[in-house]
Amino acid sequence: MEFNEVIKKRRTSREWTDREVDFEVVKRIIAAGMKAPSWDHYRSWQFIVLHTKEEKEKAFSYAKSVVKKFDAGRYENRELNLAQIMYAYAMPKQYTMLVDCPYVIVPLFKCNKLNAEWVSKLNPLTTAWCVAENMMLAAINEGLGYSLRIPLNREHDATLEKLSVPKGWMTPCFIGIGYPKEDEIILEQYDSNPDSHIRMGGWKP
């Protein structure tokens, strides 16, 4: 697939078919992640791969509790902007979009605690996001789709505890991998034309 086509098709999917995914494809997706820039040059990332329903249900029980608290009624009978429309559509699926897809990859990076005093202190997290981005693009290139969930508040620690991850490791996100349903709703997006976002030579009005 041409690179620009991959970029254009890149989006989060939340509904899946029952079609199985070859694990060799999953390995190629992780291999793409391993080619990301590494702040410590060691590429010491680790990847937990969840496949069975039981594994995913155990890992993402916190996401299930978040969904239960979501009040869809707040978004009914009112005019919504694009961000609110997406939120109202996506939130009820934050659990099933992971549990119902064939595989979920949890990328892990070495870090005891995030320190945002300086941007450079976030290097471990930043490069882990480069890993995640590579994997998402690789999934699209393989003709698959992905779901993306960033752990909410204490969900990060609760999920890693359920996965028996040792202290000193963190994750930026959970990435589901599978074949999206062909009739899945594709919502309108904000314009991605860069013209109004470019400021030549500095920040000028």
Side-chain angles (χ1 to χ4, degrees):
M1 192 181 297
E2 291 291 331
F3 180 72
N4 284 338
E5 186 181 358
V6 172
I7 293 293
K8 288 179 181 178
K9 290 187 175 182
R10 180 200 185 286
R11 65 179 182 84
T12 294
S13 294
R14 297 178 178 85
E15 297 185 26
W16 308 100
T17 69
D18 294 330
R19 182 178 173 186
E20 189 55 82
V21 174
D22 187 340
F23 188 63
E24 290 302 312
V25 177
V26 176
K27 287 167 66 176
R28 288 200 296 269
I29 291 170
I30 292 175
M34 289 291 293
K35 294 186 184 300
S38 172
W39 76 279
D40 60 2
H41 307 294
Y42 291 123
R43 288 186 164 80
S44 56
W45 308 298
Q46 297 292 311
F47 303 86
I48 292 178
V49 179
L50 306 175
H51 184 45
T52 70
K53 189 104 173 176
E54 291 75 20
E55 290 171 342
K56 289 174 282 187
E57 287 176 343
K58 177 183 177 182
F60 304 120
S61 58
Y62 193 102
K64 187 176 184 178
S65 69
V66 170
V67 171
K68 285 183 176 179
K69 294 176 183 176
F70 176 68
D71 180 12
R74 292 177 53 198
Y75 297 88
E76 295 176 355
N77 303 317
R78 53 179 285 205
E79 187 173 344
L80 305 176
N81 61 37
L82 287 182
Q84 291 169 326
I85 291 171
M86 177 62 77
Y87 188 78
Y89 172 74
M91 277 306 298
K93 295 177 169 57
Q94 293 299 294
Y95 174 70
T96 56
M97 73 179 189
L98 294 173
V99 172
D100 291 347
C101 65
Y103 287 96
V104 177
I105 303 172
V106 182
L108 299 163
F109 63 96
K110 279 188 174 182
C111 188
N112 285 305
K113 183 179 180 181
L114 292 178
N115 181 349
E117 179 184 2
W118 303 104
V119 171
S120 60
K121 296 287 188 180
L122 295 175
N123 275 346
L125 173 62
T126 301
T127 54
W129 268 111
C130 292
V131 171
E133 181 70 11
N134 274 16
M135 289 197 295
M136 290 183 280
L137 291 173
I140 298 298
N141 188 58
E142 293 282 356
L144 297 163
Y146 68 85
S147 58
L148 172 67
R149 177 165 174 79
I150 301 170
L152 177 66
N153 302 331
R154 66 174 301 274
E155 179 180 7
H156 176 278
D157 294 346
T159 302
L160 295 198
E161 183 177 338
K162 288 180 179 294
L163 294 174
S164 301
V165 176
K167 297 293 184 183
W169 291 87
M170 301 184 75
T171 182
C173 59
F174 315 127
I175 304 173
I177 301 291
Y179 290 96
K181 286 186 176 179
E182 292 185 2
D183 60 351
E184 181 184 10
I185 296 174
I186 299 177
L187 298 178
E188 183 183 358
Q189 300 286 320
Y190 284 108
D191 183 17
S192 59
N193 188 315
D195 289 346
S196 63
H197 299 266
I198 297 173
R199 298 176 184 272
M200 298 296 294
W203 189 285
K204 302 172 183 177

